């Protein structure tokens, strides 16, 4: 329910030049089965050809932290890391509406 | 489908001091029935007691623009505007995954 305590993340990632689609592919791989992940949205930044935005909703901070230990997630992070040039924005949130 | 052309917005709004909950209330009012709105997420910024983030997915830019003319949306904007101190971030996106 909307009133439940939840944990969110909103972040911007900048890929190495020309590597944005590859980065999106790795992020998609990572999100196959993550317990407690209620929403995971990936969007291309219309104003920066190398940038993406990720908006996440989790049932708890603990579920997000646990996801980082899932083998498929660890493998995707390992592939993504070398093509991430920067993470200019990374904000923790408390989601209050998901319509 | 994830492959369809779509339009997204990610924005940060800062309310006048102490007015964040009121602002969230007006935004909720605005989002009751907006044709073409596929997702509308509101999240409190965990690091700024006056800030919120809005992540939107629309079927098209036109649907978003049309929503601004809906009477309930116009009414909510009119109530929200005086308590919005700033919109430091407002980014157009192309959503590519909504899991």
């Amino acid at each position: 329910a909307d009133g439940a305590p939840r944990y969110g993340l909103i972040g911007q990632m900048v890929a190495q030049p020309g590597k944005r689609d590859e980065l999106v592919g790795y992020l998609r791989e990572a999100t196959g089965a993550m317990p407690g992940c209620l929403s995971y949205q990936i969007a291309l930044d219309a104003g920066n050809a190398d940038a993406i935005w990720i908006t996440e909703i989790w049932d708890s901070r603990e579920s997000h932290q646990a996801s980082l230990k899932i083998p498929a997630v660890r493998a995707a992070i390992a592939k993504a890391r070398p093509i991430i040039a920067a993470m200019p924005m990374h904000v923790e949130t408390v989601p209050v509406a998901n319509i």
Side-chain angles (χ1 to χ4, degrees), chain A residues 49-61:
Chain A
D50 296 316
I52 62 172
W53 290 81
I54 303 167
T55 303
E56 304 172 46
I57 302 178
W58 295 81
D59 63 356
S60 69
R61 179 194 300 262

Side-chain angles (χ1 to χ4, degrees), chain A residues 6-91:
Chain A
R6 289 183 294 183
Y7 178 71
L9 291 168
I10 296 180
Q12 187 191 32
M13 282 187 194
V14 179
Q16 300 287 355
K19 298 287 190 183
R20 181 165 73 172
D21 289 349
E22 185 179 341
L23 177 58
V24 170
Y26 296 147
L27 292 172
R28 283 176 178 281
E29 286 178 26
T31 54
M34 299 194 297
C37 183
L38 304 176
S39 175
Y40 193 99
Q41 297 181 345
I42 307 170
L44 310 180
D45 191 317
N48 179 338
D50 296 316
I52 62 172
W53 290 81
I54 303 167
T55 303
E56 304 172 46
I57 302 178
W58 295 81
D59 63 356
S60 69
R61 179 194 300 262
E62 290 67 33
S63 289
H64 173 255
Q65 289 179 331
S67 76
L68 303 176
K69 296 176 183 163
I70 297 171
V73 174
R74 292 173 63 97
I77 291 172
K79 287 187 279 189
R81 189 169 285 147
I83 62 168
I84 297 172
M87 294 183 59
M89 176 85 58
H90 188 72
V91 176

